[in-house]
């Protein structure tokens, strides 16, 4: 049976990313002494923050379709399906990292509860991924 999960952009990941850029900017403003180097570095950090913010928001809603029978994952983004026969899950207490591998590319997702329609959906995905790993490990 295939299960489908909708993954949204994460507000907490966006806030964490922007917070890290602010901390780096403050460190640069405090410790870099030549003013031209400080302003150049601050501009670069600001541009990087803008790029990463746009990248996170650009992803939109991604659909993950798990196929336990074939031990594969289909990712649908922007109406385009991508198939991954290999994957790895790194689970922690607060989030999970899902690394999808194919011959041509790899994709990595940080999965936390605010990326899903409900906390229950997040828990179901984690459990389904854990079950798929257990079956494939045997």
């Amino acid at each position: 049976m295939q299960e489908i999960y909708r993954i949204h952009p994460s507000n907490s990941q966006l806030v964490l990313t922007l917070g890290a850029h602010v901390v780096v900017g403050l460190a640069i403003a405090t410790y870099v002494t030549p003013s031209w180097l400080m302003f150049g570095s601050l501009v670069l950090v600001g541009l990087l923050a803008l790029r990463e913010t746009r990248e996170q928001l650009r992803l939109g809603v991604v659909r993950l379709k798990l196929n336990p029978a074939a031990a594969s994952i289909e990712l649908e983004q922007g109406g385009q399906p991508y198939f991954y026969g290999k994957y790895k899950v790194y689970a922690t207490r607060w989030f999970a990292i899902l690394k999808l591998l194919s011959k041509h590319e790899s994709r990595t997702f940080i999965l936390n509860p605010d990326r899903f329609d409900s906390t229950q959906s997040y828990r179901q995905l984690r459990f389904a991924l854990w079950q798929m790993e257990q079956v494939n490990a045997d």
Side-chain angles (χ1 to χ4, degrees):
M1 180 179 124
Q2 292 186 346
E3 302 174 47
I4 300 173
Y5 300 93
R6 293 171 32 99
I7 302 174
H8 307 280
S10 171
N11 292 331
S12 62
Q13 287 178 16
L14 184 63
V15 168
L16 187 61
T17 300
L18 291 176
H21 284 88
V22 167
V23 168
V24 169
L26 289 173
I28 289 171
T30 303
Y31 294 111
V32 176
T33 52
S35 60
W36 64 271
L37 184 60
M38 178 186 67
F39 289 122
S41 299
L42 288 174
V43 167
L44 289 176
V45 168
L47 289 173
L48 182 61
L50 181 63
R51 180 188 163 274
E52 296 221 0
T53 301
R54 289 183 65 200
E55 184 70 25
Q56 285 185 15
L57 294 175
R58 181 188 62 84
L59 289 176
V61 177
V62 175
R63 290 174 37 147
L64 273 182
K65 191 182 296 183
L66 303 182
N67 187 353
S72 66
I73 296 176
E74 177 186 339
L75 176 115
E76 184 181 316
Q77 184 176 8
Q80 179 69 34
Y82 302 93
F83 298 94
Y84 297 93
K86 290 185 176 183
Y87 60 91
K88 183 66 181 156
V89 179
Y90 305 96
T92 69
R93 182 179 182 147
W94 302 279
F95 60 92
I97 299 172
L98 175 62
K99 183 153 183 96
L100 302 171
L101 304 164
S102 73
K103 293 179 183 178
H104 307 292
E105 69 174 343
S106 69
R107 301 275 307 262
T108 304
F109 290 94
I110 299 175
L111 305 173
N112 53 351
D114 74 337
R115 295 194 74 176
F116 293 86
D117 294 329
S118 67
T119 305
Q120 184 66 23
S121 178
Y122 167 70
R123 289 182 184 145
Q124 287 174 348
L125 175 63
R126 281 185 61 132
F127 183 71
L129 288 169
W130 178 80
Q131 281 184 320
M132 284 175 60
E133 273 199 337
Q134 297 302 313
V135 169
N136 294 332
D138 295 338

